[in-house]
mmCIF file of all heavy atoms in Angstrom:
data_model
loop_
_atom_site.group_PDB
_atom_site.id
_atom_site.type_symbol
_atom_site.label_atom_id
_atom_site.label_comp_id
_atom_site.label_asym_id
_atom_site.label_seq_id
_atom_site.Cartn_x
_atom_site.Cartn_y
_atom_site.Cartn_z
ATOM 1 N N LYS A 11 -70.201 33.306 -65.413
ATOM 2 C CA LYS A 11 -69.740 33.353 -66.809
ATOM 3 C C LYS A 11 -70.794 33.991 -67.735
ATOM 4 O O LYS A 11 -71.947 34.175 -67.355
ATOM 5 C CB LYS A 11 -69.390 31.936 -67.258
ATOM 6 C CG LYS A 11 -68.198 31.330 -66.484
ATOM 7 C CD LYS A 11 -67.763 30.013 -67.117
ATOM 8 C CE LYS A 11 -66.578 29.412 -66.371
ATOM 9 N NZ LYS A 11 -66.061 28.213 -67.078
ATOM 10 N N TYR A 51 -56.520 32.021 -67.636
ATOM 11 C CA TYR A 51 -56.544 30.570 -67.874
ATOM 12 C C TYR A 51 -55.215 30.037 -68.408
ATOM 13 O O TYR A 51 -55.199 28.978 -69.056
ATOM 14 C CB TYR A 51 -57.668 30.238 -68.854
ATOM 15 C CG TYR A 51 -59.053 30.225 -68.234
ATOM 16 C CD1 TYR A 51 -60.052 31.089 -68.676
ATOM 17 C CD2 TYR A 51 -59.381 29.317 -67.225
ATOM 18 C CE1 TYR A 51 -61.336 31.056 -68.132
ATOM 19 C CE2 TYR A 51 -60.659 29.279 -66.670
ATOM 20 C CZ TYR A 51 -61.627 30.139 -67.130
ATOM 21 O OH TYR A 51 -62.891 30.089 -66.588
ATOM 22 N N PHE A 59 -59.120 22.730 -75.731
ATOM 23 C CA PHE A 59 -60.291 23.582 -75.569
ATOM 24 C C PHE A 59 -59.939 25.044 -75.285
ATOM 25 O O PHE A 59 -60.835 25.873 -75.110
ATOM 26 C CB PHE A 59 -61.206 23.021 -74.467
ATOM 27 C CG PHE A 59 -60.574 22.898 -73.093
ATOM 28 C CD1 PHE A 59 -60.431 23.993 -72.256
ATOM 29 C CD2 PHE A 59 -60.137 21.655 -72.629
ATOM 30 C CE1 PHE A 59 -59.866 23.878 -70.991
ATOM 31 C CE2 PHE A 59 -59.566 21.523 -71.361
ATOM 32 C CZ PHE A 59 -59.432 22.653 -70.550
ATOM 33 N N LEU A 63 -62.440 28.228 -75.018
ATOM 34 C CA LEU A 63 -62.632 28.765 -73.665
ATOM 35 C C LEU A 63 -62.439 30.286 -73.662
ATOM 36 O O LEU A 63 -63.265 31.026 -73.108
ATOM 37 C CB LEU A 63 -61.633 28.083 -72.714
ATOM 38 C CG LEU A 63 -61.551 28.613 -71.285
ATOM 39 C CD1 LEU A 63 -62.881 28.470 -70.552
ATOM 40 C CD2 LEU A 63 -60.450 27.853 -70.516
ATOM 41 N N ARG A 104 -74.232 24.236 -61.625
ATOM 42 C CA ARG A 104 -74.025 23.779 -63.004
ATOM 43 C C ARG A 104 -75.163 22.860 -63.451
ATOM 44 O O ARG A 104 -75.561 22.890 -64.616
ATOM 45 C CB ARG A 104 -72.655 23.133 -63.164
ATOM 46 C CG ARG A 104 -71.571 24.216 -63.393
ATOM 47 C CD ARG A 104 -70.311 23.878 -62.783
ATOM 48 N NE ARG A 104 -69.176 24.707 -63.166
ATOM 49 C CZ ARG A 104 -67.952 24.482 -62.690
ATOM 50 N NH1 ARG A 104 -67.733 23.468 -61.879
ATOM 51 N NH2 ARG A 104 -66.961 25.279 -63.034
ATOM 52 N N ILE A 111 -70.126 21.825 -71.130
ATOM 53 C CA ILE A 111 -68.862 21.950 -70.385
ATOM 54 C C ILE A 111 -68.195 23.306 -70.662
ATOM 55 O O ILE A 111 -67.465 23.822 -69.819
ATOM 56 C CB ILE A 111 -67.924 20.759 -70.665
ATOM 57 C CG1 ILE A 111 -66.774 20.721 -69.644
ATOM 58 C CG2 ILE A 111 -67.420 20.782 -72.104
ATOM 59 C CD1 ILE A 111 -66.001 19.419 -69.630
ATOM 60 N N ASP A 112 -68.467 23.889 -71.821
ATOM 61 C CA ASP A 112 -67.905 25.216 -72.129
ATOM 62 C C ASP A 112 -68.747 26.318 -71.479
ATOM 63 O O ASP A 112 -68.207 27.181 -70.793
ATOM 64 C CB ASP A 112 -67.839 25.415 -73.647
ATOM 65 C CG ASP A 112 -66.926 24.395 -74.307
ATOM 66 O OD1 ASP A 112 -65.717 24.419 -73.994
ATOM 67 O OD2 ASP A 112 -67.413 23.568 -75.079
ATOM 68 N N ASN A 114 -70.584 26.727 -68.819
ATOM 69 C CA ASN A 114 -70.919 26.022 -67.579
ATOM 70 C C ASN A 114 -71.178 26.951 -66.399
ATOM 71 O O ASN A 114 -70.973 26.575 -65.251
ATOM 72 C CB ASN A 114 -69.876 24.936 -67.264
ATOM 73 C CG ASN A 114 -68.527 25.479 -66.883
ATOM 74 O OD1 ASN A 114 -68.237 26.666 -67.072
ATOM 75 N ND2 ASN A 114 -67.676 24.626 -66.339
ATOM 76 N N HIS A 117 -67.210 29.733 -62.613
ATOM 77 C CA HIS A 117 -65.849 29.255 -62.351
ATOM 78 C C HIS A 117 -65.579 29.453 -60.864
ATOM 79 O O HIS A 117 -66.048 30.430 -60.278
ATOM 80 C CB HIS A 117 -64.814 30.072 -63.151
ATOM 81 C CG HIS A 117 -63.412 29.850 -62.661
ATOM 82 N ND1 HIS A 117 -62.646 28.790 -63.086
ATOM 83 C CD2 HIS A 117 -62.662 30.513 -61.740
ATOM 84 C CE1 HIS A 117 -61.479 28.827 -62.446
ATOM 85 N NE2 HIS A 117 -61.471 29.861 -61.631
HETATM 86 P P1 CMP B 228 -63.441 26.438 -65.437
HETATM 87 O O1 CMP B 228 -63.629 25.988 -64.032
HETATM 88 O O2 CMP B 228 -63.724 27.868 -65.711
HETATM 89 O O3 CMP B 228 -61.936 26.126 -65.894
HETATM 90 C C1 CMP B 228 -61.583 25.900 -67.244
HETATM 91 C C2 CMP B 228 -62.791 25.736 -68.116
HETATM 92 O O4 CMP B 228 -62.540 25.109 -69.371
HETATM 93 C C3 CMP B 228 -63.807 24.862 -67.449
HETATM 94 O O5 CMP B 228 -64.403 25.553 -66.373
HETATM 95 C C4 CMP B 228 -64.723 24.504 -68.613
HETATM 96 O O6 CMP B 228 -65.752 25.477 -68.818
HETATM 97 C C5 CMP B 228 -63.782 24.574 -69.826
HETATM 98 N N1 CMP B 228 -63.559 23.265 -70.433
HETATM 99 C C6 CMP B 228 -63.887 22.907 -71.688
HETATM 100 N N2 CMP B 228 -63.527 21.640 -71.942
HETATM 101 C C7 CMP B 228 -62.969 21.165 -70.810
HETATM 102 C C8 CMP B 228 -62.409 19.905 -70.437
HETATM 103 N N3 CMP B 228 -62.346 18.871 -71.269
HETATM 104 N N4 CMP B 228 -61.924 19.774 -69.167
HETATM 105 C C9 CMP B 228 -61.942 20.810 -68.309
HETATM 106 N N5 CMP B 228 -62.474 22.033 -68.605
HETATM 107 C C10 CMP B 228 -62.982 22.202 -69.851
#
Side-chain angles (χ1 to χ4, degrees):
K11 295 189 179 186
Y51 282 119
F59 60 79
L63 173 61
R104 277 145 169 181
I111 194 166
D112 298 297
N114 69 346
H117 166 84

